Amino acid sequence: MSEITPDLVRHLGVLARIQLSDEEVELLTGQLDAIVDNIAKVSQVATPDVVATSHPIPLQNIFRADVPGDLLTTEQVLQNAPDAADGRFRVTAILGEEQ
């Protein structure tokens, strides 16, 4: 027995604020019914003794050592800056001010 009916699809369309034609309702009724049937099949197989998995193989993060490399001097960093002051980038203040 089908759980998804054309009336249910129309109702879902109204809730989602999607205007559906009669052809779309018929198409979506079949597609959504197939999805519900497949989910029911998976639910039958998913038993407490089957471990839930998100990947078929175990995942492991590979980290490299966090070692600083060659660093730029302050002068090198600021050499192409449009404006700098006191060893820092100088920018226009934007918080709480109208420009």
Side-chain angles (χ1 to χ4, degrees):
M1 185 170 154
S2 177
E3 294 181 31
I4 306 297
T5 64
D7 288 336
L8 178 60
V9 173
R10 283 188 190 90
H11 178 68
L12 293 173
V14 169
L15 292 175
R17 296 183 178 161
I18 300 172
Q19 186 175 3
L20 299 171
S21 67
D22 290 338
E23 293 82 22
E24 290 171 322
V25 168
E26 290 302 317
L27 177 67
L28 288 172
T29 300
Q31 290 176 345
L32 290 173
D33 195 45
I35 291 169
V36 169
D37 288 344
N38 286 324
I39 291 172
K41 288 176 188 175
V42 171
S43 296
Q44 291 172 354
V45 176
T47 60
D49 57 331
V50 176
V51 180
T53 59
S54 62
H55 298 282
I57 56 174
L59 297 179
Q60 180 180 355
N61 285 330
I62 307 297
F63 295 105
R64 66 171 174 80
D66 190 14
V67 179
D70 296 331
L71 302 177
L72 299 174
T73 65
T74 304
E75 292 77 24
Q76 290 172 320
V77 171
L78 296 175
Q79 71 182 358
N80 293 321
D83 195 6
D86 300 323
R88 299 180 183 146
F89 293 102
R90 184 181 172 116
V91 296
T92 305
I94 58 169
L95 300 175
E97 295 183 13
E98 294 285 330
Q99 291 195 19

